[in-house]
Amino acid sequence: MASSPSSPFSECHELIEEMRRIYSTDEDATKVHALNQQFAGVRQRCEQREDKMQAVIKELTRRVSVAQAAATPTEPDDAHDNRLKQVEAERLAAGEYLTSMEHEAQSLEQMQVELRARGASLKVKRQEIDAMAMEEVPRTKHELSLYAHISKISWHYEATDRIRGRVNAHENKEVHPIDFALGDVSEYQLANDLWNIID
Protein backbone atom coordinates (compact mmCIF):
# COMPACT_ATOMS: atom_id res chain seq x y z
CA MET A 1 0.00 0.00 0.00
CA ALA A 2 1.67 3.23 -1.17
CA SER A 3 1.90 6.13 1.29
CA SER A 4 0.78 9.69 0.43
CA PRO A 5 3.38 12.41 -0.07
CA SER A 6 2.41 14.07 3.20
CA SER A 7 2.85 10.91 5.30
CA PRO A 8 5.57 10.67 7.99
CA PHE A 9 7.34 8.03 5.96
CA SER A 10 7.64 10.38 2.99
CA GLU A 11 9.03 13.18 5.16
CA CYS A 12 11.55 10.78 6.70
CA HIS A 13 12.56 9.62 3.24
CA GLU A 14 13.13 13.21 2.10
CA LEU A 15 15.24 13.88 5.19
CA ILE A 16 17.44 10.88 4.46
CA GLU A 17 17.87 11.93 0.87
CA GLU A 18 18.92 15.38 2.05
CA MET A 19 21.47 13.89 4.42
CA ARG A 20 22.74 11.81 1.54
CA ARG A 21 23.35 14.90 -0.49
CA ILE A 22 25.10 16.61 2.44
CA TYR A 23 27.59 13.80 3.08
CA SER A 24 29.89 13.44 0.12
CA THR A 25 32.21 10.65 1.39
CA ASP A 26 31.69 7.02 0.37
CA GLU A 27 31.33 5.94 4.01
CA ASP A 28 28.53 8.34 4.63
CA ALA A 29 26.86 7.37 1.39
CA THR A 30 27.06 3.70 2.37
CA LYS A 31 25.49 4.35 5.76
CA VAL A 32 22.79 6.45 4.21
CA HIS A 33 22.09 3.75 1.63
CA ALA A 34 21.81 1.12 4.42
CA LEU A 35 19.47 3.36 6.38
CA ASN A 36 17.40 3.88 3.25
CA GLN A 37 17.12 0.13 2.74
CA GLN A 38 16.09 -0.38 6.38
CA PHE A 39 13.49 2.32 6.02
CA ALA A 40 12.13 0.66 2.89
CA GLY A 41 11.92 -2.69 4.74
CA VAL A 42 10.12 -1.11 7.72
CA ARG A 43 7.67 0.64 5.42
CA GLN A 44 6.95 -2.61 3.56
CA ARG A 45 6.29 -4.50 6.81
CA CYS A 46 4.04 -1.70 8.05
CA GLU A 47 2.06 -1.80 4.81
CA GLN A 48 1.72 -5.60 5.08
CA ARG A 49 0.50 -5.32 8.67
CA GLU A 50 -1.94 -2.58 7.68
CA ASP A 51 -3.33 -4.75 4.88
CA LYS A 52 -3.63 -7.68 7.27
CA MET A 53 -5.44 -5.58 9.89
CA GLN A 54 -7.84 -4.28 7.24
CA ALA A 55 -8.63 -7.88 6.25
CA VAL A 56 -9.16 -8.81 9.90
CA ILE A 57 -11.46 -5.82 10.42
CA LYS A 58 -13.47 -6.75 7.31
CA GLU A 59 -13.85 -10.33 8.56
CA LEU A 60 -14.93 -9.16 12.01
CA THR A 61 -17.41 -6.74 10.42
CA ARG A 62 -18.83 -9.60 8.34
CA ARG A 63 -19.19 -11.81 11.43
CA VAL A 64 -20.94 -9.05 13.36
CA SER A 65 -23.37 -8.56 10.47
CA VAL A 66 -24.10 -12.31 10.36
CA ALA A 67 -24.62 -12.40 14.13
CA GLN A 68 -26.93 -9.39 14.01
CA ALA A 69 -28.95 -10.97 11.22
CA ALA A 70 -29.24 -14.22 13.19
CA ALA A 71 -30.27 -12.39 16.37
CA THR A 72 -32.85 -10.23 14.63
CA PRO A 73 -36.29 -11.93 14.74
CA THR A 74 -37.82 -12.57 11.31
CA GLU A 75 -41.38 -12.26 12.59
CA PRO A 76 -43.39 -9.45 14.17
CA ASP A 77 -43.00 -8.86 17.90
CA ASP A 78 -46.57 -9.97 18.64
CA ALA A 79 -46.17 -13.21 16.71
CA HIS A 80 -42.82 -13.83 18.39
CA ASP A 81 -44.31 -13.25 21.85
CA ASN A 82 -47.27 -15.51 21.07
CA ARG A 83 -44.94 -18.25 19.88
CA LEU A 84 -42.88 -17.93 23.06
CA LYS A 85 -46.06 -18.15 25.16
CA GLN A 86 -47.15 -21.23 23.24
CA VAL A 87 -43.77 -22.87 23.73
CA GLU A 88 -43.92 -22.06 27.46
CA ALA A 89 -47.44 -23.49 27.71
CA GLU A 90 -46.31 -26.66 25.95
CA ARG A 91 -43.36 -26.91 28.33
CA LEU A 92 -45.63 -26.57 31.37
CA ALA A 93 -48.06 -29.12 29.94
CA ALA A 94 -45.20 -31.53 29.30
CA GLY A 95 -43.99 -31.05 32.89
CA GLU A 96 -47.47 -31.74 34.28
CA TYR A 97 -47.80 -34.82 32.07
CA LEU A 98 -44.40 -36.05 33.23
CA THR A 99 -45.41 -35.53 36.88
CA SER A 100 -48.66 -37.41 36.26
CA MET A 101 -46.77 -40.27 34.63
CA GLU A 102 -44.37 -40.42 37.58
CA HIS A 103 -47.29 -40.63 40.04
CA GLU A 104 -48.92 -43.32 37.92
CA ALA A 105 -45.67 -45.26 37.79
CA GLN A 106 -45.38 -45.04 41.58
CA SER A 107 -48.98 -46.27 41.94
CA LEU A 108 -48.28 -49.17 39.60
CA GLU A 109 -45.15 -50.07 41.54
CA GLN A 110 -47.14 -50.02 44.80
CA MET A 111 -49.85 -52.14 43.20
CA GLN A 112 -47.22 -54.56 41.96
CA VAL A 113 -45.79 -54.88 45.46
CA GLU A 114 -49.28 -55.51 46.88
CA LEU A 115 -50.04 -58.08 44.19
CA ARG A 116 -46.79 -59.89 44.89
CA ALA A 117 -47.59 -59.97 48.61
CA ARG A 118 -51.11 -61.19 47.86
CA GLY A 119 -49.76 -63.82 45.48
CA ALA A 120 -47.36 -65.05 48.13
CA SER A 121 -50.22 -65.20 50.67
CA LEU A 122 -52.43 -67.09 48.23
CA LYS A 123 -49.58 -69.49 47.52
CA VAL A 124 -49.22 -70.20 51.24
CA LYS A 125 -52.99 -70.72 51.56
CA ARG A 126 -52.97 -73.02 48.53
CA GLN A 127 -50.21 -75.07 50.09
CA GLU A 128 -52.20 -75.26 53.32
CA ILE A 129 -55.34 -76.31 51.42
CA ASP A 130 -53.40 -78.91 49.45
CA ALA A 131 -51.90 -80.27 52.66
CA MET A 132 -55.34 -80.35 54.28
CA ALA A 133 -56.83 -82.05 51.22
CA MET A 134 -54.12 -84.68 51.25
CA GLU A 135 -55.00 -85.36 54.87
CA GLU A 136 -58.76 -84.82 54.93
CA VAL A 137 -59.86 -86.32 51.59
CA PRO A 138 -58.61 -89.84 52.29
CA ARG A 139 -60.03 -89.68 55.81
CA THR A 140 -63.39 -88.42 54.50
CA LYS A 141 -63.49 -91.14 51.87
CA HIS A 142 -62.77 -93.72 54.53
CA GLU A 143 -65.51 -92.32 56.78
CA LEU A 144 -68.03 -92.29 53.91
CA SER A 145 -67.07 -95.82 52.97
CA LEU A 146 -67.42 -96.94 56.59
CA TYR A 147 -70.74 -95.09 56.90
CA ALA A 148 -72.09 -96.75 53.71
CA HIS A 149 -70.93 -100.15 54.89
CA ILE A 150 -72.59 -99.78 58.32
CA SER A 151 -75.77 -98.03 57.27
CA LYS A 152 -76.14 -99.86 53.93
CA ILE A 153 -77.55 -96.61 52.48
CA SER A 154 -76.91 -95.55 48.90
CA TRP A 155 -77.90 -91.95 48.30
CA HIS A 156 -79.26 -90.50 45.05
CA TYR A 157 -77.24 -87.27 45.06
CA GLU A 158 -78.76 -86.07 41.77
CA ALA A 159 -82.09 -85.41 43.52
CA THR A 160 -81.69 -81.92 44.94
CA ASP A 161 -85.30 -81.21 45.93
CA ARG A 162 -85.85 -84.44 47.90
CA ILE A 163 -83.96 -86.89 50.10
CA ARG A 164 -83.70 -90.05 48.03
CA GLY A 165 -81.78 -93.27 48.22
CA ARG A 166 -82.12 -96.91 49.23
CA VAL A 167 -81.17 -99.22 52.05
CA ASN A 168 -79.63 -102.50 50.93
CA ALA A 169 -80.34 -105.33 53.36
CA HIS A 170 -77.68 -107.88 52.44
CA GLU A 171 -78.99 -110.64 54.67
CA ASN A 172 -82.46 -110.94 53.12
CA LYS A 173 -81.52 -109.02 49.92
CA GLU A 174 -84.40 -106.62 50.41
CA VAL A 175 -84.15 -103.04 49.14
CA HIS A 176 -85.94 -100.33 51.11
CA PRO A 177 -86.37 -97.05 49.19
CA ILE A 178 -85.80 -93.69 50.88
CA ASP A 179 -87.87 -90.75 49.66
CA PHE A 180 -88.63 -87.72 51.81
CA ALA A 181 -89.60 -84.20 50.75
CA LEU A 182 -87.40 -81.46 52.09
CA GLY A 183 -89.08 -79.58 54.93
CA ASP A 184 -91.95 -82.04 55.43
CA VAL A 185 -90.57 -83.30 58.72
CA SER A 186 -88.02 -82.08 61.22
CA GLU A 187 -84.43 -83.27 61.13
CA TYR A 188 -85.05 -85.20 64.35
CA GLN A 189 -88.06 -87.02 62.84
CA LEU A 190 -86.15 -87.62 59.62
CA ALA A 191 -83.27 -89.21 61.53
CA ASN A 192 -85.70 -91.51 63.42
CA ASP A 193 -87.40 -92.54 60.19
CA LEU A 194 -84.05 -93.38 58.58
CA TRP A 195 -83.06 -95.49 61.62
CA ASN A 196 -86.36 -97.32 61.43
CA ILE A 197 -85.72 -98.16 57.77
CA ILE A 198 -82.16 -99.30 58.53
CA ASP A 199 -83.30 -101.47 61.41
Side-chain angles (χ1 to χ4, degrees):
M1 178 177 179
S3 61
S4 61
S6 59
S7 66
F9 295 108
S10 178
E11 293 177 359
C12 184
H13 180 68
E14 291 175 357
L15 179 61
I16 293 174
E17 290 292 331
E18 183 67 21
M19 291 175 65
R20 183 178 179 184
R21 286 193 298 270
I22 294 174
Y23 293 99
S24 59
T25 63
D26 292 340
E27 182 179 358
D28 293 338
T30 302
K31 290 182 178 179
V32 169
H33 179 70
L35 289 173
N36 204 15
Q37 287 183 343
Q38 290 180 1
F39 169 75
V42 170
R43 182 175 62 181
Q44 182 179 6
R45 287 194 295 272
C46 289
E47 290 176 352
Q48 291 176 351
R49 290 179 181 178
E50 184 178 354
D51 292 340
K52 184 176 180 181
M53 290 304 299
Q54 287 182 354
V56 170
I57 291 173
K58 287 181 180 179
E59 177 62 19
L60 290 176
T61 304
R62 186 190 67 81
R63 292 183 181 181
V64 169
S65 299
V66 171
Q68 287 178 345
T72 303
T74 58
E75 56 186 356
D77 293 339
D78 293 341
H80 181 70
D81 292 341
N82 291 335
R83 187 166 62 84
L84 289 179
K85 291 179 180 179
Q86 182 179 359
V87 170
E88 180 65 16
E90 292 176 355
R91 186 187 68 81
L92 293 176
E96 292 176 356
Y97 178 75
L98 179 61
T99 302
S100 176
M101 292 296 293
E102 289 176 351
H103 291 164
E104 186 175 352
Q106 292 175 357
S107 299
L108 290 176
E109 290 178 358
Q110 182 65 28
M111 186 181 299
Q112 187 177 14
V113 171
E114 293 176 356
L115 288 175
R116 286 179 180 174
R118 185 177 178 184
S121 176
L122 290 175
K123 185 176 180 180
V124 172
K125 289 183 179 179
R126 176 62 183 272
Q127 292 175 350
E128 292 175 354
I129 292 173
D130 290 344
M132 186 182 299
M134 292 179 63
E135 180 181 352
E136 294 293 332
V137 170
R139 185 171 63 184
T140 303
K141 286 183 178 180
H142 176 71
E143 290 176 354
L144 289 175
S145 176
L146 183 61
Y147 169 79
H149 179 72
I150 294 174
S151 65
K152 301 180 178 62
I153 296 178
S154 298
W155 296 106
H156 294 173
Y157 296 104
E158 64 275 7
T160 58
D161 57 341
R162 300 182 67 84
I163 300 175
R164 289 183 178 178
R166 66 177 185 273
V167 178
N168 301 314
H170 296 295
E171 290 78 3
N172 51 19
K173 296 183 180 180
E174 292 181 1
V175 176
H176 301 286
I178 300 173
D179 190 359
F180 297 98
L182 293 175
D184 284 354
V185 295
S186 64
E187 294 182 358
Y188 177 77
Q189 183 62 39
L190 179 60
N192 287 335
D193 293 341
L194 287 175
W195 279 116
N196 290 332
I197 295 174
I198 293 172
D199 293 338

